């Protein structure tokens, strides 16, 4: 490159990072989400479950249950986060990469991490993974890992295969990406009838160590959460993230359905 061109290139690059963010609200100066390494380390330490500041529970002795929300972030996720924060309850969110990409600069995805919840990988576009060539399975996981890490600093360590559909190939790719496969043992079928009271009725069948499957893309599911939390609390359950349920890092590639 000719030396006189350098200022022009720098100007052009500067233009890229000062573009205003796409938003419906008033235009505010765009602050790129870039952290220097020490700040990133501090942020990770404060938000990533399993890092030093995460909570410790002995789920071998107390009644733990893990609420898991799939397919978001969506339009009801913010309301769900408000609910969980008010009750100091932490959950696990298995996010779809495409939904993260549509999450207006990642603000809900970042809230999930910052408010102490765990993030899991639910593929990029929610296909049935066993039907895909190995390379596409890898890409489905990789793209989602990358966008979540770019927006939150969190490197996810668990995945949930869409539809719970998995095979040896999916297991191998999950292992390759450092991801444990997390399924569930309580299915609320919340996507089916979309009636809050029915969702609650199914969710409260949880037993100690259960992983409950829910979807935060349905308003009825979010409406079912307060009653579900009330009933399970009265039964003596403590709400934990999936990592907290096991008390250690789940093993990459291995499949888990409950504690
Ligand atoms: Ni799903």
């Amino acid at each position: 490159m000719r030396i006189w061109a350098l200022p022009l290139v720098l100007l052009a690059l500067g233009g890229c990072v000062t573009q205003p963010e796409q938003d419906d609200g008033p235009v505010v100066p765009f602050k790129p989400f870039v952290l220097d390494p020490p700040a990133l380390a501090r942020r990770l330490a404060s938000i990533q479950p399993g890092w030093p500041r995460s909570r410790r529970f002995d789920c071998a002795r107390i009644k733990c249950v893990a609420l898991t929300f799939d397919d978001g972030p969506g339009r009801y996720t913010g309301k769900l986060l408000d609910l969980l924060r008010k009750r100091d309850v932490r959950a696990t969110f298995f996010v779809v990469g495409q939904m993260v990409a549509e999450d207006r600069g990642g603000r809900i995805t970042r809230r999930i991490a910052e408010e102490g919840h765990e993030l899991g990988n639910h593929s990029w576009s929610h296909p049935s993974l066993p039907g895909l060539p190995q390379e596409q399975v890898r890409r489905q996981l990789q793209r989602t890992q990358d966008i979540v890490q770019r927006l939150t600093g969190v490197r996810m360590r668990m995945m949930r295969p869409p539809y719970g559909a998995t095979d040896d190939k999916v297991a191998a790719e999950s292992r390759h990406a450092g991801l444990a496969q997390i399924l569930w043992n309580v299915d609320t079928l919340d996507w089916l009838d979309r009636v809050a009271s029915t969702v609650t009725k199914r969710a409260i069948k949880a037993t100690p160590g259960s992983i409950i499957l829910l979807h935060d893309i349905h308003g009825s599911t979010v409406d079912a959460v307060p009653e579900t939390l009330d009933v399970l609390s009265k039964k003596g359950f403590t709400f934990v993230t999936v990592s907290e349920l096991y008390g250690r890092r789940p093993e990459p590639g291995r499949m888990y359905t409950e504690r």
Side-chain angles (χ1 to χ4, degrees):
M1 183 190 353
R2 287 173 200 276
I3 198 74
W4 55 264
L6 191 62
L8 288 177
V9 170
L10 289 175
L11 211 66
L13 282 173
C16 292
V17 293
T18 51
Q19 286 292 324
E21 197 174 22
Q22 292 295 315
D23 194 28
D24 347 327
V27 177
V28 289
F30 176 55
K31 233 172 92 206
F33 186 72
V34 178
L35 294 172
D36 58 287
L40 184 59
R42 275 199 306 277
R43 195 178 178 103
L44 274 171
S46 68
I47 64 180
Q48 181 157 9
W51 284 62
R53 280 180 58 189
S54 84
R55 311 169 305 169
R56 287 204 173 276
F57 297 99
D58 186 355
C59 293
R61 299 165 67 102
I62 62 169
K63 288 167 75 173
C64 294
V65 64
L67 301 177
T68 63
F69 295 95
D70 289 13
D71 297 358
R75 53 196 289 218
Y76 306 106
T77 310
K79 185 182 170 189
L80 172 61
L81 289 170
D82 293 343
L83 271 170
L84 296 175
R85 185 167 58 181
K86 219 167 92 189
R87 291 160 181 258
D88 196 21
V89 164
R90 294 193 198 172
T92 303
F93 290 80
F94 288 96
V95 295
V96 170
Q98 265 180 358
M99 299 293 277
V100 174
E102 287 168 19
D103 171 29
R104 302 193 304 162
R107 59 192 72 182
I108 293 290
T109 313
R110 260 201 298 282
R111 255 194 82 186
I112 293 173
E114 284 170 350
E115 294 179 14
H117 305 290
E118 185 152 31
L119 282 160
N121 187 326
H122 197 39
S123 81
W124 180 260
S125 59
H126 208 277
S128 178
L129 297 176
L132 297 183
Q134 185 137 4
E135 205 179 292
Q136 280 185 40
V137 174
R138 183 168 297 197
R139 186 139 176 76
Q140 285 279 335
L141 296 177
Q142 201 57 55
R143 282 184 82 182
T144 308
Q145 287 298 94
D146 290 347
I147 192 170
V148 167
Q149 182 162 23
R150 187 159 52 76
L151 292 172
T152 66
V154 170
R155 193 76 185 158
M156 296 180 287
R157 51 195 194 179
M158 50 188 65
M159 63 83 82
R160 172 168 284 161
Y163 315 105
T166 183
D167 62 3
D168 289 348
K169 173 177 62 186
V170 176
E173 285 308 320
S174 300
R175 195 176 314 118
H176 174 85
L179 300 166
Q181 302 188 81
I182 309 296
L183 282 89
W184 58 86
N185 72 336
V186 175
D187 191 345
T188 60
L189 301 172
D190 57 339
W191 51 272
L192 188 63
D193 30 46
R194 310 209 191 165
V195 176
S197 57
T198 313
V199 174
T200 296
K201 214 169 74 191
R202 295 188 184 123
I204 60 177
K205 287 182 182 153
T207 52
S210 279
I211 298 175
I212 306 179
L213 172 64
L214 296 143
H215 297 82
D216 53 320
I217 52 168
H218 302 305
S220 45
T221 298
V222 175
D223 291 343
V225 167
E227 178 75 1
T228 303
L229 295 176
D230 285 347
V231 176
L232 288 174
S233 294
K234 275 190 201 124
K235 288 185 174 189
F237 280 97
T238 299
F239 303 99
V240 296
T241 65
V242 171
S243 281
E244 289 169 342
L245 183 66
Y246 292 100
R248 62 189 149 80
R249 180 183 177 145
E251 198 182 306
R254 192 173 146 189
M255 195 157 80
Y256 298 81
T257 55
E258 63 190 299
R259 187 191 154 88

